[in-house]
Amino acid sequence: MKIAGNYSFAASREEVWAALNDPEVLARTIPGCQRLEQVGENEYESTLKIGLQAVRGVYSGRVKIDNLRPPESYEIHVDGKGSNGFLKGSGSILLREENGQTILDYGGEAHIGGTIASVGQRLLDGAAKTLISQSLKALAAQIEARRTEAPTPELAAATTPEPAETPTPEPAAATTPEPAAATTPEPAETPAFRRTIQVPAGEGLSEVDVALGVIEDFLKERPWVPWVIIAFLLGYLLGQRR
Amino acid sequence: MTATEMKERLVGRALKRREDPKLITGHGNYLDDIKLPGMLHIALVRSPYAHAKIVSIDASKALAMPGVVAVFTGKDMLDINPMPAAWQAAGVKNYPVPPRALAVDKVALVGDPVAMVVAENRYIARDAADLVEVEYEPLPAVVDARKAVEPGAPQIHEAAPNNIVFEWECGNKDAADAAIASAEVVVKEEIINQRLIPTPMETRGSIARYDPLTGEWTVWMTSQAPHVHRLLLTAFVFGVPETKLRCIAPNVGGGFGQKIFCYNDMAFTMWAARKLGRPVKFVEDRSENYKYSTHGRDHITEAELAGTRDGKITGLRVKTWANIGAYFSTVAAGIPTTLYGRIITGVYKIPAAYVHVTGAYTNTAMVDAYRGAGRPEASYLIERMVDRFAAEIGMDPAEVRRKNFIQPEDFPYDNGLGLLPYDSGNYEPALNKALEIAGYAEFRKQQEELRKQGRYLGIGISSYVEICGIAPSAWMGGQGWGAGLWESANVRVHLTGKVVVTTGSLPHGQGLETTFAQIVADELGVPYEDVEIQWGDTQGTPFGYGTYGSRSLAVGGVAIKRSVDKIKEKARKLAAHLLEANEADIVFENGRAYVKGSPDKGKTIGELAAAAAVAYNLPPGMEPFLDETSYYDPPNCTFPFGTHVSIVEVDPETGHVKLLRYIAVDDCGNQINPLIVEGQIHGGIAQGLAQALYEGAVYNEDGQLLTGTLMDYAVPTAAMVPHIETDHTVTPSPVNPLGVKGAGEAGTIASAQCVMNAIIDALAPFGVKHLQMPATPERIWKAIHGK
């Protein structure tokens, strides 16, 4: 499956770049993200709870960013799996400024397998578009929030229950964890860069947020729709009374 | 005719199927209806990758779940052998890699089972299967048969270099090459016979029960051939005496070939039942059936047909890549070889023909027999090529067919491709009849008129011949088939005069209970209601090869007739003894044996059965009871034929096809029950026209099945099938005493090309010469617009 598109932010390129590189922000903009764990420089592990219509599930995955060219572009590699299948993809993100706005161009290719491919493939294109656009919308909101609240380190501290302060780096343990150990990392072996971001309930981009976002966008583009529905209902009710 | 009341013959009458009231009112007993005390349920952990190494399997979380009894992997089952490769391509080296009960070390298709969870109920098993963590190392995949055998393609099995299962040929290569090199006209086309999913209404499954005290299993299975499965599972997979296994096929909800084969679930349910000491059940869901149970067709073919300007066909050269799928299914290699290549010239006398077939492993579901099995692919190919040739030389396609038909005096006809001789046929009357019903000449005029108005109608002709009544064992032995193909029947007349027939044939939609009872009632002269047909249980039926290849009447039905003949013979001897007459003077007619010339002096079959059973007064040396068994091995296959004609209208704006008429004139020899014949023809046509218009299994390049549900795979509904006008000619088969040929697959074999020829005829003004199936509106629109 090929993915491509763009999104405009009312922010400077540097602001968008900074947000894109802040795990705290990412954790709140990746759909269904419950937990984001930094396991290396520009490498994250996360748990996502997402539903593609009938195919819902919990996926665990690894995200790696490389070829960074601040504040212009990077490449992103995603490798995730869950009970309903797997996703493996890579793509690039490119930022350019135009008329005082920052435009984010994204493109990439994803390989999807398992039930999500065989049962959900009809829905995948639409679902991917929805998830990406809602995710970028959430990112725009985060950028806006950073501006007004002023970026502080408190945010990170407040939402990071396990501050990674143990100064004994052991990268081997982080890259090849035992299957059981992956879900319950032992604090003693946590390397310096390791930290866990738990997304508190209500702050992340949940399935409900995605659905509401879709409705919101839909209505924004077609503001007449509610009036049609109201008119229809009114007509129906009046018709019933005869 | 005698003075005794003439019983009305049942053979030839359109009786309603006696099995239907039970089946259509929900009183059938299908596999999933069976519940045994203490029964456990299996859910499989299946690979999401088309090709990958299994790095690790961690079942700890699944095992911790309450209600989970055990989790097993392929490595636990190394004490049993892989599934057998029963039919290999004849005369050449085969590289069979059949599947194991569960995959070991690597997976080769999406849906390949890597572990099984056994739990107290199905819900727990499914939930626990989701908790089994499997780590894979993905490998590159290949799904296209032609690409799979190219150098540099991903290698699927070490034991099969270059993914080649076999390279097989038939016919005369030099003659075909020469005919094509020297021909006035050569037409060449790439013809793709797309992959289809059989889609029986009931998915597959098995239930196994093991008795540790006797070491005996009972396995209930969705099977078209329980005796064969019993043999394969004991002798080849488990290495135990076949007496240790009883196989039972209960009501089977459609098969279309998919239930002929020996599947891994039969083996792993047996293995788990023995291991755990409790009965276990496995039933596929629909998407598991789509991913893992066998598919059909999937040929890529380069075909060249040579001929003269005046319409004589002089040569045919065919090169086919047959997709076998990820593993070698039970009879996979026989389908694109013997049942395809050897009948490639169809109803035509083609002096030089040559077929080369490469069987290839790919990272897709296994491909094996599907309704028609090889013959639809052959018939589609030749009928498309003949139409293509007719268009090239500007001759009427019906005329080209007439010019090249094998003539009635040519039978028995040897087509030179290593097949047994065609038994009998008269192809032109069937063609003429179909064209007459269609109003062919009239239609051509109308077509011309309508084209001027911008309406595009087309007519398609399909004249087919197929191979049924499969098959003489001696011949099949030379075709790489690892067993015989005779059929058995036992007939007993109980002392109350009721007749019980047990047979190795078994119905899964063919109405055999009705057809067989009609034959027995007529032959023995007993009431139809007094004949019971029993089948499906290896304990209580004689060994037989099962139901497929339209063989149950032409082989199984004849075995029944022969048993009845033996009963009649014995009854006559007994009657002669009881009536104190000469055996030569005894006539057996209408269920009664009497002395020639004095019909009032006689004994009914019921009286004779009672006399034989009580045995108070038997001729010297005669054993008690009227009980006879026959094992019938036919001397030849049968070759049903016919012509189908369809009329379509194509909307040039949208590419939508409307099937206006469908006419089927079939010759399946004598018809025992015309209503059942018609039903079989209808069902077959629905499947064939669905191939032309709707169906197609699609894998993406990664080997993911994109048509994994009934929402994505277009099985036709009743509304998508037009009214079918049926008629027939009757050319009795000289091969068997019933004169029957078989009708179960004819509709499927004839119909796909019939519809495609009509569509391409409709599109002729746009210069369209060929289209691949399914002819979706998109494809047609693109063809019209040259895209």
Side-chain angles (χ1 to χ4, degrees):
Chain A
M1 181 175 65
K2 287 204 166 42
I3 298 159
N6 59 54
Y7 195 91
S8 303
F9 294 92
S12 72
R13 187 152 81 158
E14 282 68 25
E15 273 178 299
V16 178
W17 178 262
L20 278 173
N21 284 282
D22 182 348
E24 292 292 339
V25 173
L26 288 180
R28 284 164 177 72
T29 58
I30 297 170
C33 181
Q34 295 177 317
R35 189 180 58 95
L36 190 72
E37 199 163 331
Q38 189 163 12
V39 293
E41 200 189 345
N42 297 320
E43 203 169 340
Y44 309 93
E45 273 177 11
S46 76
T47 310
L48 308 180
K49 191 179 173 189
I50 35 178
L52 292 173
Q53 316 262 351
V55 190
R56 354 188 104 244
V58 180
Y59 303 86
S60 61
R62 187 171 274 248
V63 178
K64 200 177 167 213
I65 291 167
D66 60 13
N67 286 336
L68 282 97
R69 286 194 295 145
E72 229 179 81
S73 69
Y74 64 57
E75 276 174 26
I76 181 162
H77 308 275
V78 184
D79 196 347
K81 63 175 181 176
S83 52
N84 280 323
F86 68 87
L87 179 144
K88 193 177 166 70
S90 36
S92 58
I93 279 172
L94 186 75
L95 297 177
R96 60 191 158 91
E97 282 184 321
E98 214 175 276
N99 305 331
Q101 289 202 320
T102 302
I103 297 168
L104 182 153
D105 294 306
Y106 61 88
E109 196 173 355
H111 298 266
I112 290 151
T115 312
I116 38 176
S118 62
V119 176
Q121 59 88 16
R122 275 172 292 117
L123 320 164
L124 275 178
D125 275 346
K129 273 191 200 124
T130 304
L131 291 178
I132 290 169
S133 68
Q134 292 308 314
S135 176
L136 290 168
K137 203 170 127 192
L139 181 67
Q142 286 288 327
I143 294 169
E144 192 59 35
R146 279 158 69 101
R147 235 191 231 161
T148 50
E149 286 170 22
T152 55
E154 302 153 35
L155 191 80
T159 55
T160 311
E162 293 175 86
E165 281 161 8
T166 330
T168 45
E170 209 169 315
T175 48
T176 57
E178 280 180 24
T183 48
T184 53
E186 291 169 42
E189 290 182 7
T190 310
F193 47 73
R194 182 151 205 149
R195 59 172 171 157
T196 303
I197 299 152
Q198 291 283 357
V199 179
E203 281 191 28
L205 184 63
S206 71
E207 282 179 85
V208 177
D209 297 329
V210 170
L212 290 175
V214 169
I215 294 168
E216 195 183 299
D217 291 351
F218 180 83
L219 293 180
K220 211 182 274 172
E221 282 170 35
R222 303 169 187 78
W224 41 267
V225 167
W227 296 109
V228 171
I229 296 170
I230 290 165
F232 177 80
L233 282 173
L234 256 170
Y236 177 75
L237 287 172
L238 288 173
Q240 288 290 92
R241 295 181 60 164
R242 283 162 146 248
Chain B
M1 297 302 110
T2 67
T4 51
E5 77 285 12
M6 186 68 206
K7 188 171 161 288
E8 197 193 347
R9 276 180 67 79
L10 293 173
V11 165
R13 272 183 59 193
L15 297 187
K16 285 189 177 173
R17 307 201 317 180
R18 54 157 63 176
E19 48 267 78
D20 283 354
K22 184 176 86 167
L23 298 178
I24 64 177
T25 55
H27 293 84
N29 184 38
Y30 294 94
L31 183 93
D32 211 10
D33 294 324
I34 297 167
K35 292 170 181 71
L36 303 177
M39 187 166 75
L40 297 169
H41 297 261
I42 289 174
L44 295 176
V45 180
R46 292 181 182 270
S47 168
Y49 294 96
H51 195 197
K53 281 186 186 150
I54 302 168
V55 179
S56 64
I57 301 173
D58 179 5
S60 50
K61 280 187 200 159
L63 283 166
M65 195 166 155
V68 171
V69 175
V71 178
F72 299 114
T73 68
K75 284 192 174 154
D76 295 321
M77 297 181 197
L78 290 175
D79 55 342
I80 55 172
N81 294 316
M83 299 297 115
W87 192 358
Q88 305 196 8
V92 295
K93 181 152 174 56
N94 286 245
Y95 298 86
V97 183
R100 300 197 73 97
L102 296 174
V104 177
D105 292 332
K106 71 176 273 187
V107 291
L109 76 154
V110 168
D112 216 352
V114 296
M116 64 186 242
V117 176
V118 192
E120 294 292 343
N121 66 45
R122 199 176 289 178
Y123 307 98
I124 296 172
R126 285 296 290 264
D127 284 349
D130 282 351
L131 298 179
V132 176
E133 288 173 6
V134 185
E135 202 182 321
Y136 299 94
E137 186 187 319
L139 298 167
V142 62
V143 299
D144 175 296
R146 189 161 49 183
K147 286 182 188 154
V149 297
E150 278 172 5
Q155 294 297 297
I156 301 170
H157 303 296
E158 261 177 44
N162 302 316
N163 301 322
I164 290 173
V165 187
F166 57 80
E167 297 232 40
W168 179 92
E169 58 182 8
C170 72
N172 187 333
K173 184 173 192 305
D174 294 339
D177 288 349
I180 285 160
S182 64
E184 283 177 25
V185 185
V186 176
V187 285
K188 190 173 175 177
E189 206 61 70
E190 178 173 290
I191 290 182
I192 293 170
N193 206 297
Q194 83 271 31
R195 177 181 284 249
L196 301 177
I197 310 181
T199 319
M201 204 182 289
E202 179 203 28
T203 57
R204 289 189 332 88
S206 320
I207 299 169
R209 182 174 65 192
Y210 182 73
D211 182 343
L213 296 176
T214 59
E216 286 170 6
W217 281 277
T218 304
V219 177
W220 289 261
M221 45 173 62
T222 50
S223 172
Q224 297 178 226
H227 283 282
V228 176
H229 292 148
R230 179 197 197 202
L231 172 72
L232 295 177
L233 288 165
T234 51
F236 296 91
V237 180
F238 280 81
V240 297
E242 65 188 287
T243 49
K244 294 292 179 193
L245 172 61
R246 172 185 179 186
C247 291
I248 302 172
N251 286 132
V252 178
F256 310 121
Q258 196 183 63
K259 294 169 182 171
I260 300 171
F261 320 118
C262 202
Y263 283 94
N264 61 343
D265 49 277
M266 298 169 184
F268 67 61
T269 50
M270 282 174 68
W271 188 92
R274 182 172 65 179
K275 181 92 178 168
L276 300 170
R278 286 173 68 179
V280 292
K281 181 192 234 179
F282 170 78
V283 180
E284 293 173 329
D285 64 25
R286 180 61 61 188
S287 67
E288 287 183 293
N289 178 272
Y290 270 27
K291 277 181 198 157
Y292 193 80
S293 288
T294 56
H295 295 176
R297 320 274 189 264
D298 206 343
H299 283 196
I300 301 170
T301 298
E302 290 168 3
E304 292 156 284
L305 185 139
T308 61
R309 288 254 156 239
D310 63 357
K312 202 83 192 144
I313 302 168
T314 54
L316 177 68
R317 187 165 60 195
V318 171
K319 185 164 174 52
T320 295
W321 289 264
N323 200 329
I324 297 295
Y327 300 104
F328 190 109
S329 171
T330 314
V331 304
I335 309 308
T337 57
T338 294
L339 294 182
Y340 165 74
R342 298 207 193 281
I343 190 134
I344 203 83
T345 50
V347 288
Y348 310 106
K349 244 180 173 168
I350 301 181
Y354 171 73
V355 182
H356 181 277
V357 184
T358 304
Y361 288 116
T362 62
N363 297 108
T364 61
M366 291 179 280
V367 179
D368 208 325
Y370 166 50
R371 199 171 193 172
R375 290 102 78 205
E377 295 91 312
S379 191
Y380 180 70
L381 184 103
I382 187 66
E383 287 301 290
R384 272 303 304 129
M385 290 307 285
V386 165
D387 253 37
R388 179 83 177 70
F389 172 63
E392 188 76 20
I393 59 171
M395 190 178 271
D396 186 296
E399 203 43 48
V400 173
R401 284 177 170 80
R402 285 196 189 97
K403 267 201 151 145
N404 292 282
F405 274 155
I406 300 159
Q407 296 301 312
E409 63 271 18
D410 296 329
F411 293 93
Y413 175 76
D414 181 356
N415 70 2
L417 293 167
L419 191 61
L420 290 166
Y422 293 16
D423 59 343
S424 63
N426 194 357
Y427 301 148
E428 205 169 323
L431 172 71
N432 291 343
K433 199 168 198 175
L435 293 179
E436 195 188 305
I437 296 169
Y440 188 66
E442 198 56 33
F443 174 82
R444 285 292 183 201
K445 281 182 215 144
Q446 192 194 357
Q447 181 183 38
E448 206 49 51
E449 284 303 307
L450 288 170
R451 272 182 190 166
K452 286 177 198 151
Q453 299 169 25
R455 288 181 62 190
Y456 296 91
L457 272 70
I459 191 162
I461 304 171
S462 159
S463 293
Y464 73 95
V465 60
E466 58 140 333
I467 317 167
C468 280
I470 295 168
S473 301
W475 177 67
M476 283 302 285
Q479 297 301 312
W481 171 255
L485 268 178
W486 41 262
E487 195 48 84
S488 63
N490 173 271
V491 176
R492 269 167 293 152
V493 187
H494 287 260
L495 70 172
T496 53
K498 309 291 180 204
V499 184
V500 176
V501 178
T502 56
T503 166
S505 295
L506 67 161
H508 43 277
Q510 296 85 347
L512 298 182
E513 281 185 39
T514 304
T515 314
F516 287 169
Q518 282 177 267
I519 296 171
V520 173
D522 265 11
E523 293 284 331
L524 272 183
V526 295
Y528 170 71
E529 296 73 27
D530 286 356
V531 182
E532 185 172 331
I533 313 293
Q534 295 178 349
W535 45 268
D537 187 342
T538 58
Q539 181 172 306
T541 60
F543 185 98
Y545 283 95
T547 288
Y548 39 84
S550 306
R551 66 190 296 273
S552 288
L553 185 54
V555 190
V558 177
I560 292 173
K561 178 178 172 6
R562 284 164 71 113
S563 292
V564 172
D565 287 346
K566 287 185 191 174
I567 296 260
K568 275 157 70 176
E569 198 47 42
K570 185 167 175 178
R572 282 184 47 199
K573 279 202 178 91
L574 181 57
H577 176 73
L578 295 173
L579 299 168
E580 293 171 345
N582 206 328
E583 198 191 319
D585 294 336
I586 299 290
V587 179
F588 192 101
E589 205 173 59
N590 295 326
R592 210 163 155 276
Y594 59 88
V595 182
K596 201 187 283 176
S598 46
D600 50 323
K601 201 181 169 200
K603 297 268 181 195
T604 66
I605 184 75
E607 287 167 335
L608 292 168
V614 297
Y616 298 156
N617 181 11
L618 296 182
M622 180 179 278
E623 290 179 2
F625 223 87
L626 295 182
D627 178 339
E628 297 291 345
T629 302
S630 286
Y631 296 89
Y632 175 67
D633 200 351
N636 192 357
C637 302
T638 58
F639 296 83
F641 61 89
T643 292
H644 289 198
V645 172
S646 66
I647 297 177
V648 302
E649 178 166 7
V650 178
D651 182 340
E653 302 283 326
T654 62
H656 181 77
V657 174
K658 198 168 169 197
L659 249 171
L660 302 175
R661 285 182 76 188
Y662 195 101
I663 297 133
V665 176
D666 295 283
D667 193 326
C668 60
N670 291 337
Q671 299 190 4
I672 307 297
N673 184 326
L675 186 63
I676 289 180
V677 171
E678 193 173 346
Q680 290 293 311
I681 298 289
H682 278 201
I685 290 170
Q687 279 174 315
L689 68 84
Q691 175 172 25
L693 293 173
Y694 312 115
E695 291 187 27
V698 181
Y699 282 91
N700 71 8
E701 285 193 349
D702 298 338
Q704 296 293 334
L705 178 63
L706 301 182
T707 48
T709 71
L710 281 166
M711 291 288 283
D712 309 279
Y713 185 82
V715 176
T717 63
M720 290 148 90
V721 179
H723 172 70
I724 296 168
E725 301 162 56
T726 53
D727 207 329
H728 57 266
T729 59
V730 176
T731 310
S733 172
V735 171
N736 60 65
L738 294 172
V740 295
K741 292 195 167 190
E745 296 162 294
T748 319
I749 291 165
S751 47
Q753 62 274 16
C754 181
V755 175
M756 289 308 289
N757 283 347
I759 293 169
I760 292 160
D761 182 51
L763 297 178
F766 299 101
V768 175
K769 291 175 172 170
H770 182 66
L771 262 183
Q772 305 295 5
M773 298 186 288
T776 55
E778 183 198 6
R779 270 203 180 135
I780 290 173
W781 190 90
K782 280 182 172 166
I784 289 172
H785 292 81
K787 292 187 178 167

